[in-house]
Amino acid sequence: IINNYLDGTQGGAVDSVRGMHFRDSKRKVDYVLAYHYRKRLAQHQHGASSPEPMNRADSMTVVSNGETRKGRLKLQPDSGQHIPQELLGAQVIELGPLDTLEEEKRLQREEYERNLVAAGLEIEKDTENKSQGLSFVRIHAPWQVLSREAELHKIKMPTKKMYEIKEEGGILKKLNKIWCKLTEPLQPQVPQENTKMKSLSYPFSREKIYLYNIRDKDTFFDNATRSRIVHEILKRTSTKARNSMGINTLIANNVYDAAYPLHDGEYEGQNDDMNERKLLYQEWARYGVFYKFQPIDLIRKYFGEKIGLYFAWLGLYTEFLIPSSVVGIFVFLYGCITIESDIPSKEMCDQRNAFTMCPLCDKFCDYWNLSSACATARASHLFDNPATVFFSIFMALWATMFLEQWKRLQMRLSYFWDLTGLEEEEEHPRPEYETKLLQKKLKNKNTTTEDPNEDEKDKLTWNDRIPGYAANCGLILFMIMLTFSAVFGVIVYRITTAAALSFSTHETTRSNVRVTVTATAVIINLVVILILDEIYGAVAKWLTEIEVPKTEKAFEERLILKAFLLKFVNSYAPIFYVAFFKGRFVGRPGHYVYVFDGYRMEECAPGGCLMELCIQLSIIMLGKQLIQNNLFEIGIPKLKKLFRKLKDGRTEPKEMNTNQSKDPQQWDLDYSLEPFTGLTPEYMEMIIQFGFVTLFVASFPLAPLFALLNNIIEVRLDAKKFVTELRRPDTVRAKDIGIWYNILSGIGKLSVIINAFVIAVTSDFIPRLMYQYAYSQNGTMHGFINHTLSYFNVSHLKAGTQPENSPFAQDVLFCRFKDYREPPWSPNQYEFSKQYWAVLSARLAFVILFQNLVMFLSVLVDWMIPDIPKDISEQIKKEKSVLVDFFLKEEHEKLKLIGSFITRDKHKQKSGTKDQKSRAASFCQFDRSQKGSVASFSSQHTEV
């Protein structure tokens, strides 16, 4: 592949944008391959202990001029050509294991780079003038390659035709103008695209090159498109060595360390040269511009459609959190305002109501007065009030409206980004799939002579994947059981700690048992969730790899499903326990349920479990957002970068590199950045947060507010990470967010059911409603507390469970406990009362009614809001007709031009010269060929 050498002093000065071009300052660097090399240190025959100093020939750059012939450098001592001393003085030595491996890698690199040149790419690489170190291969795609690949991949490019975008008239137009005027200070200062005119786009075709607005071939394809084209070539270019299928396999085998496109220069610096990266940093990726809208079009142009859609979705989600946060604050304020007028909490706090409650534990706990739980009851009212029912309905409709609005925005972006006709491209199989398939072919090569299922040889069948599927099922079940075990472990901790603290001789410790146990248990839950989250992420990736999906898309979708399932169970299992299971299997005085010998199942607080659910939800949600989403995102990449620098510092020998200038080039700067690993972690943390906002919002109305505050930081944090800390990702075209939308929709539907059960089962909303309208004598809530407490005869306590050294033991005949049970003087003592079954029926009826009502309203909202905005639907139809008219007009003008040439030739033909006859014949032949092309074009109108 070495076709010519350029001296380091030749080729002109380095381009003003440092490191963006080849050394000739003309050819743009579209892609970079990086690798570490290690040379064999040969001893010199003349006894030299060290190699001679490097001279001019060692600072040369190897450049391919783009020719497809295979040249080879020949060094001849007598030709006057300078030969490095290492080559002249080296003696033949045996290769060690490391040398053999390095030699194999070098041969693979040479073959791969030779194949890249054969594919039309041009490469430039530095000479390896050190014993070991880091080297870069820079790749440039010339116009011929770009145009060929653009046609092959049907990349839509702008044509000469511009057409007007029809604006909505009437009141909507006026409102839009007012909105634009009001939000003008919030708009980022980036070049805005013309919103009134749109360039007509059409898949690139070399035959119809006259249709496109090509002013300069070097800038017609932008940097993102150029790098995407080169990446496609890198993925499909193979080598014979080890049957490597593309760059991904070579990186996996450590032949190359990295492959990445370059950023558009530095994002900060003293120079005045403005580039898109610097513009994104100044107007988007700084915390100081948190109040501004995102420059979505510029993000899409720089990073590609897939990343552009993520930030568009994140921006819309954050905007939608504003109204839900406002409503949540009003619901919370309503609880604060009405707390003084809440009759049940007043009755509970009234010292005159002497409700003597049964002991909370055996032997060491005494009888206690219900008024001591006054603070808990008052706090519960902040979240357990009638407004939370309204808020649950509101949030269910909010989730539906958010998804509908996203579909509309997605369609609008698809139209303006020319994704409306985007077809699913057939992806190249993953290297792991190809390797597995090759192993299968080699295994079956000599086993059968004739195979009736010939097609099964070319793909992995169900039988090939059975071990992977079995491992997936087994390990996923094991991980889910591990999560449940962790939850159970925390339950045991709460029970044993509560019992231990109850034995304390200090009155303060005994009085704060519930608060201490709840707070420490939630913190333990949070730590366990954070640790298991990291483990589950790695396990999900490994499980997907052993499943061997064929394409990257299939791999990503399966990975997302596994990771989401494990992380969903991990994040919400403790919350589900508190909401639906805690306090349900306690038993009753005299007949308690015991976990271990002497340890009773834990009960809910006197004010109910909703307050504890609120504490659990808030600490886990805020802890995950603060620690996992922010500290981990900031800290871990910096630690990785530091570790990589230290590693490179150890492996690099301290030799002077005369080829390298004082200032590092752009490929050096980008190599030191963290590699892009995909959008799955970014989506995952937002989807889990969406679950916190919607699933249990009835117990924590302030969840949308905390999510909003987090997301304002999250947008800028992600932006800064993409612009400053990550290598530039490969641009990927996508017309939607894929499987994430289905997950969001599923969470939205699940939230309706969960909130219905939270209101009906966890809160006191239904018992209060039943008491007020069925059991109250005057239609008020007076006497509600007494109604919900049952009587128990203390003489029925089991021997050994009575309170020891109780000063009230002689005075107490009956104690109270929260449940609907028959009194001890009833024939069916301690059995469930009629009120219990009535309340249970009302709870189930509410769940069914609430669920159907909200589902109906959600379907109604879905039906009322069209998925495709009306103006976009009309513009798409208009674009098709404009495209046909434009084609016909261009073809007509071309035929007219050809006809004028033919008429002029025929006129000249009458002069009788032979040269003119031959020219007329050639034009007639040209005419016939063009008519054929016109006929083929007319047959394509139906496809348009």
Side-chain angles (χ1 to χ4, degrees):
I1 64 169
I2 303 172
N3 289 322
N4 63 332
Y5 275 95
L6 284 182
D7 191 345
T9 58
Q10 295 177 359
V14 179
D15 192 80
S16 58
V17 183
R18 187 171 69 247
M20 297 300 296
H21 289 74
F22 278 14
R23 295 187 69 86
D24 58 10
S25 298
K26 295 178 182 177
R27 290 179 285 180
K28 188 180 292 185
V29 176
D30 296 317
Y31 222 87
V32 174
L33 307 179
Y35 64 92
H36 278 88
Y37 66 88
R38 177 180 173 275
K39 286 186 177 180
R40 287 185 289 110
L41 297 176
Q43 295 180 352
H44 293 284
Q45 290 177 347
H46 300 289
S49 59
S50 61
E52 292 184 6
M54 299 292 174
N55 47 31
R56 187 181 65 83
D58 296 302
S59 64
M60 295 187 293
T61 303
V62 188
V63 182
S64 162
N65 59 12
E67 296 177 3
T68 55
R69 65 181 179 82
K70 299 176 184 176
R72 186 173 294 278
L73 177 66
K74 295 182 179 179
L75 299 178
Q76 298 176 0
D78 298 332
S79 63
Q81 188 179 5
H82 175 78
I83 303 172
Q85 289 292 328
E86 288 90 345
L87 297 178
L88 284 174
Q91 60 184 2
V92 178
I93 59 172
E94 289 187 11
L95 296 178
L98 281 176
D99 293 328
T100 307
L101 184 62
E102 287 298 324
E103 185 69 15
E104 186 181 343
K105 288 180 182 178
R106 186 184 64 79
L107 292 173
Q108 284 190 65
R109 283 195 294 268
E110 286 185 1
E111 184 189 356
Y112 185 69
E113 289 160 14
R114 187 162 56 244
N115 292 341
L116 292 180
V117 174
L121 297 176
E122 300 175 9
I123 67 169
E124 176 187 76
K125 54 190 297 190
D126 298 327
T127 48
E128 299 171 359
N129 51 15
K130 294 191 290 185
S131 59
Q132 62 181 27
L134 179 67
S135 188
F136 297 95
V137 178
R138 297 173 286 282
I139 301 173
H140 168 76
W143 169 259
Q144 293 85 351
V145 175
L146 293 172
S147 57
R148 180 192 73 207
E149 296 295 321
E151 183 175 0
L152 179 67
H153 296 290
K154 300 178 182 177
I155 298 175
K156 281 189 174 183
M157 300 303 296
T159 62
K160 297 174 184 176
K161 178 68 177 175
M162 301 280 289
Y163 68 95
E164 187 179 1
I165 299 174
K166 183 182 176 183
E167 292 184 348
E168 294 182 358
I171 192 169
L172 288 175
K173 187 177 181 180
K174 292 179 181 178
L175 289 172
N176 189 41
K177 281 187 177 179
I178 295 170
W179 174 252
C180 290
K181 194 71 178 173
L182 290 172
T183 58
E184 194 172 345
L186 306 179
Q187 297 295 338
Q189 301 300 314
V190 298
Q192 297 291 335
E193 294 186 6
N194 191 353
T195 55
K196 294 184 179 179
M197 299 293 292
K198 185 177 185 295
S199 179
L200 190 66
S201 296
Y202 185 72
F204 189 80
S205 171
R206 287 174 290 181
E207 291 181 358
K208 300 181 178 63
I209 200 165
Y210 55 87
L211 298 174
Y212 304 96
N213 190 15
I214 304 176
R215 294 192 182 93
D216 185 359
K217 288 184 176 181
D218 291 335
T219 58
F220 178 65
F221 296 104
D222 60 17
N223 290 347
T225 307
R226 295 174 71 98
S227 64
R228 180 158 70 94
I229 288 172
V230 174
H231 185 240
E232 287 295 328
I233 297 173
L234 292 174
K235 283 199 297 185
R236 70 168 186 252
T237 303
S238 60
T239 58
K240 291 180 181 177
R242 287 194 176 185
N243 295 285
S244 299
M245 294 80 174
I247 187 64
N248 294 333
T249 309
L250 293 173
I251 291 174
N253 293 335
N254 296 318
V255 176
Y256 289 101
D257 289 347
Y260 51 90
L262 292 179
H263 277 293
D264 288 356
E266 296 183 31
Y267 63 88
E268 57 183 358
Q270 302 299 325
N271 58 340
D272 297 328
D273 295 332
M274 182 57 71
N275 56 62
E276 289 179 351
R277 188 188 187 193
K278 185 180 285 187
L279 193 59
L280 282 170
Y281 178 73
Q282 291 178 356
E283 295 296 325
W284 178 54
R286 293 187 300 115
Y287 295 114
V289 293
F290 73 92
Y291 60 91
K292 289 189 177 183
F293 292 119
Q294 298 184 90
I296 293 297
D297 289 323
L298 185 60
I299 296 167
R300 168 254 177 178
K301 183 182 177 185
Y302 192 80
F303 291 111
E305 285 78 8
K306 192 170 185 178
I307 294 174
L309 282 173
Y310 164 71
F311 281 105
W313 174 84
L314 182 58
L316 183 69
Y317 171 48
T318 306
E319 288 174 17
F320 258 73
L321 284 172
I322 296 172
S324 61
S325 301
V326 172
V327 177
I329 291 170
F330 278 124
V331 170
F332 180 73
L333 291 176
Y334 172 81
C336 295
I337 293 167
T338 58
I339 193 170
E340 294 300 331
S341 59
D342 183 49
I343 296 171
S345 57
K346 273 185 175 181
E347 288 185 349
M348 192 178 289
C349 295
D350 193 353
Q351 296 284 350
R352 293 170 296 179
N353 294 329
F355 296 115
T356 304
M357 306 298 292
C358 297
L360 294 173
C361 65
D362 295 343
K363 292 175 69 174
F364 299 99
C365 296
D366 201 357
Y367 302 105
W368 57 285
N369 201 315
L370 186 60
S371 59
S372 62
C374 174
T376 310
R378 290 171 67 86
S380 294
H381 179 74
L382 298 177
F383 305 102
D384 189 1
N385 56 67
T388 55
V389 180
F390 157 76
F391 191 53
S392 298
I393 298 172
F394 170 81
M395 287 303 293
L397 298 178
W398 172 88
T400 304
M401 290 190 69
F402 164 63
L403 293 176
E404 287 301 310
Q405 191 62 30
W406 168 244
K407 282 194 284 188
R408 289 169 63 83
L409 176 61
Q410 193 171 252
M411 198 65 213
R412 190 176 292 276
L413 292 176
S414 295
Y415 166 69
F416 283 106
W417 293 353
D418 296 318
L419 301 171
T420 48
L422 183 66
E423 299 175 1
E424 290 289 337
E425 295 182 4
E426 188 176 350
E427 292 187 64
H428 297 289
R430 295 174 64 249
E432 293 82 359
Y433 181 87
E434 292 281 8
T435 306
K436 190 81 172 176
L437 190 62
L438 183 64
Q439 291 173 356
K440 179 186 175 181
K441 288 179 179 178
L442 292 173
K443 185 179 178 181
N444 297 335
K445 190 174 182 181
N446 299 321
T447 55
T448 54
T449 52
E450 290 186 14
D451 192 351
N453 299 324
E454 197 67 31
D455 293 339
E456 292 189 359
K457 286 185 176 181
D458 300 329
K459 62 181 181 181
L460 295 181
T461 60
W462 176 265
N463 291 332
D464 300 320
R465 288 195 170 100
I466 280 179
Y469 289 147
N472 268 262
C473 294
L475 269 173
I476 287 173
L477 286 173
F478 172 75
M479 291 297 168
I480 292 173
M481 293 307 297
L482 179 64
T483 303
F484 291 158
S485 301
V487 173
F488 182 72
V490 175
I491 294 169
V492 171
Y493 163 80
R494 293 160 71 114
I495 294 170
T496 53
T497 307
L501 291 177
S502 300
F503 302 158
S504 175
T505 56
H506 296 286
E507 183 64 31
T508 310
T509 307
R510 284 205 306 270
S511 61
N512 296 320
V513 167
R514 196 179 294 277
V515 177
T516 307
V517 169
T518 301
T520 54
V522 172
I523 292 169
I524 292 170
N525 264 327
L526 176 62
V527 172
V528 169
I529 286 170
L530 293 176
I531 293 171
L532 289 181
D533 254 3
E534 299 302 316
I535 295 171
Y536 289 166
V539 168
K541 187 175 181 182
W542 180 73
L543 287 174
T544 311
E545 284 173 353
I546 64 173
E547 213 176 315
V548 200
K550 184 175 182 180
T551 61
E552 286 295 337
K553 185 180 179 182
F555 179 87
E556 187 180 23
E557 287 184 351
R558 294 183 188 188
L559 172 62
I560 288 167
L561 283 174
K562 291 181 184 64
F564 174 73
L565 175 64
L566 293 173
K567 292 190 175 186
F568 181 89
V569 173
N570 183 41
S571 298
Y572 299 117
I575 300 170
F576 268 94
Y577 164 72
V578 174
F580 303 122
F581 297 101
K582 186 178 179 182
R584 310 282 173 223
F585 311 102
V586 178
R588 59 170 178 81
H591 197 272
Y592 284 114
V593 176
Y594 292 88
V595 182
F596 301 111
D597 189 29
Y599 293 108
R600 277 162 38 178
M601 281 292 289
E602 56 180 348
E603 304 177 42
C604 288
C609 273
L610 198 70
M611 187 62 201
E612 192 170 338
L613 176 62
C614 174
I615 295 170
Q616 185 102 358
L617 186 67
S618 58
I619 292 180
I620 290 176
M621 179 182 175
L622 295 176
K624 273 180 70 69
Q625 288 184 167
L626 182 65
I627 298 171
Q628 194 174 41
N629 297 3
N630 294 326
L631 292 181
F632 282 11
E633 276 196 43
I634 295 169
I636 288 177
K638 290 188 182 299
L639 289 174
K640 285 183 177 178
K641 188 176 179 180
L642 179 64
F643 177 74
R644 195 166 55 249
K645 274 187 177 180
L646 292 172
K647 185 181 177 182
D648 288 343
R650 286 199 305 269
T651 55
E652 288 269 346
K654 294 182 180 179
E655 300 176 17
M656 288 297 294
N657 188 354
T658 57
N659 187 36
Q660 224 172 12
S661 59
K662 291 182 181 178
D663 294 326
Q665 300 296 315
Q666 189 61 47
W667 48 83
D668 294 306
L669 297 172
D670 285 6
Y671 179 77
S672 65
L673 299 176
E674 191 69 20
F676 174 68
T677 55
L679 286 170
T680 301
E682 316 301 332
Y683 272 115
M684 188 65 73
E685 65 187 55
M686 288 296 104
I687 297 295
I688 295 295
Q689 185 204 81
F690 182 78
F692 281 119
V693 168
T694 54
L695 290 179
F696 295 94
V697 76
S699 63
F700 189 40
L702 295 179
L705 175 64
F706 289 115
L708 173 64
L709 295 175
N710 174 79
N711 285 11
I712 290 171
I713 300 169
E714 181 71 24
V715 171
R716 306 302 160 180
L717 181 65
D718 283 348
K720 188 176 181 182
K721 184 169 68 174
F722 272 86
V723 173
T724 67
E725 296 175 4
L726 294 179
R727 293 175 192 157
R728 188 171 185 172
D730 295 303
T731 57
V732 179
R733 287 175 74 82
K735 58 184 178 181
D736 52 39
I737 59 173
I739 197 171
W740 295 112
Y741 180 83
N742 299 328
I743 293 174
L744 283 167
S745 181
I747 291 176
K749 290 179 173 60
L750 184 63
S751 68
V752 177
I753 301 168
I754 289 178
N755 280 306
F757 276 99
V758 168
I759 295 168
V761 178
T762 313
S763 76
D764 278 341
F765 177 74
I766 298 300
R768 291 186 183 200
L769 213 61
M770 284 290 294
Y771 177 78
Q772 186 172 0
Y773 294 105
Y775 299 108
S776 177
Q777 294 178 357
N778 52 8
T780 65
M781 292 301 294
H782 289 287
F784 172 73
I785 297 297
N786 186 52
H787 178 75
T788 58
L789 297 177
S790 299
Y791 287 91
F792 181 77
N793 191 334
V794 296
S795 62
H796 294 164
L797 285 171
K798 287 183 179 179
T801 61
Q802 298 95 339
E804 291 183 350
N805 304 319
S806 172
F808 312 106
Q810 302 299 324
D811 302 328
V812 176
L813 296 177
F814 297 97
C815 64
R816 311 292 295 272
F817 63 100
K818 191 173 181 180
D819 208 345
Y820 292 103
R821 290 184 181 266
E822 296 288 348
W825 53 83
S826 169
N828 302 318
Q829 60 179 3
Y830 308 133
E831 295 291 329
F832 287 119
S833 63
K834 292 179 181 178
Q835 288 91 335
Y836 171 83
W837 299 110
V839 170
L840 181 61
S841 303
R843 290 182 198 267
L844 296 176
F846 175 82
V847 168
I848 295 168
L849 181 65
F850 182 89
Q851 180 183 334
N852 284 284
L853 174 65
V854 175
M855 288 292 188
F856 169 75
L857 292 174
S858 300
V859 171
L860 186 65
V861 169
D862 190 357
W863 174 74
M864 289 175 65
I865 302 175
D867 292 348
I868 304 176
K870 189 178 179 182
D871 59 326
I872 296 298
S873 179
E874 291 176 356
Q875 291 298 333
I876 292 172
K877 292 175 185 175
K878 180 182 176 182
E879 189 176 84
K880 290 179 180 179
S881 63
V882 169
L883 187 63
V884 174
D885 293 341
F886 175 60
F887 273 7
L888 291 173
K889 184 180 176 182
E890 288 291 327
E891 287 293 327
H892 181 67
E893 289 181 1
K894 189 173 75 169
L895 289 173
K896 237 173 117 181
L897 184 64
I898 294 168
S900 66
F901 278 134
I902 294 169
T903 306
R904 191 175 63 184
D905 254 20
K906 285 182 179 178
H907 180 69
K908 289 182 180 179
Q909 205 174 26
K910 292 178 182 178
S911 63
T913 61
K914 293 180 180 180
D915 293 336
Q916 288 169 338
K917 285 181 182 179
S918 62
R919 284 182 64 196
S922 66
F923 270 112
C924 290
Q925 196 172 16
F926 180 68
D927 181 30
R928 285 194 298 272
S929 65
Q930 289 300 322
K931 284 179 180 177
S933 69
V934 172
S936 65
F937 163 78
S938 62
S939 67
Q940 293 176 357
H941 283 319
T942 54
E943 293 179 5
V944 173

